[in-house]
Amino acid sequence: AQSVTQLGSHVSVSEGALVLLRCNYSSSVPPYLFWYVQYPNQGLQLLLKYTSAATLVKGINGFEAEFKKSETSFHLTKPSAHMSDAAEYFCAVSFNFGNEKLTFGTGTRLTIIP
Amino acid sequence: ETGVTQSPTHLIKTRGQQVTLRCSSQSGHNTVSWYQQALGQGPQFIFQYYREEENGRGNFPPRFSGLQFPNYSSELNVNALELDDSALYLCASSLVGAGEETQYFGPGTRLLVL
């Protein structure tokens, strides 16, 4: 069975500081991995995805994530936080790209301190 | 190109009632997935429809049912509502078979069961 663990349900960083949101996965087969962002009262927006190509994936809004098989991790980073980054972030895993259910983590709420 | 839309945005029902939620897929997409997101949790996969046939189901009872129409719009029906059905219901559409199968989410329908 596949699963995702997001460490830290709440993360606070100062504006301009590094953002690091942690995601570890469990999968018996090579996974497809995703990060989604959810702003208040909105649906999910795809930030980036890993589909077995490059291990360092760049996404929208300056975010990137690195797939580390040895650590079963797919942490999300951004060098400099902006106030507009305040949102809920979800890591998700899938066996098959697109034609399979997404299994989500429980989310990390990111707060940006002015 | 229009995105994924859902209706209604909010809904209040009482225990035991039935509800129908609607989703209009992104133009050109042939697959729709439904997720339930309880407060403070990540989305949970309910089921997926591909070309009008159910194509995978999560751990939800049969009172959760769905339809996908020839124009690829979709409905989620929930019978005999329970208090625990209160959640944000998200649909996501994708184009399976074209090499770009990212799931794109709608804004959700927030259901409150009293």
Side-chain angles (χ1 to χ4, degrees), chain B residues 20-114:
Chain B
T20 297
L21 310 182
R22 294 178 174 81
C23 172
S24 180
S25 299
Q26 185 164 315
S27 178
H29 285 185
N30 56 15
T31 301
V32 65
S33 302
W34 284 91
Y35 294 81
Q36 180 196 66
Q37 185 179 15
L39 197 62
Q41 300 296 316
Q44 298 289 317
F45 175 74
I46 302 175
F47 44 56
Q48 182 182 82
Y49 278 80
Y50 172 65
R51 294 184 173 179
E52 304 176 55
E53 297 287 332
E54 188 177 289
N55 183 43
R57 187 178 184 92
N59 189 26
F60 281 82
R63 60 189 184 85
F64 285 78
S65 63
L67 284 172
Q68 186 183 29
F69 300 101
N71 65 355
Y72 300 124
S73 64
S74 176
E75 289 182 353
L76 165 65
N77 298 288
V78 187
N79 294 321
L81 283 167
E82 301 177 358
L83 298 180
D84 285 349
D85 295 334
S86 295
L88 180 68
Y89 288 85
L90 297 163
C91 80
S93 73
S94 57
L95 177 60
V96 173
E100 175 49 54
E101 298 168 338
T102 301
Q103 294 189 29
Y104 293 90
F105 284 79
T109 293
R110 190 165 297 280
L111 172 65
L112 177 62
V113 182
L114 301 176

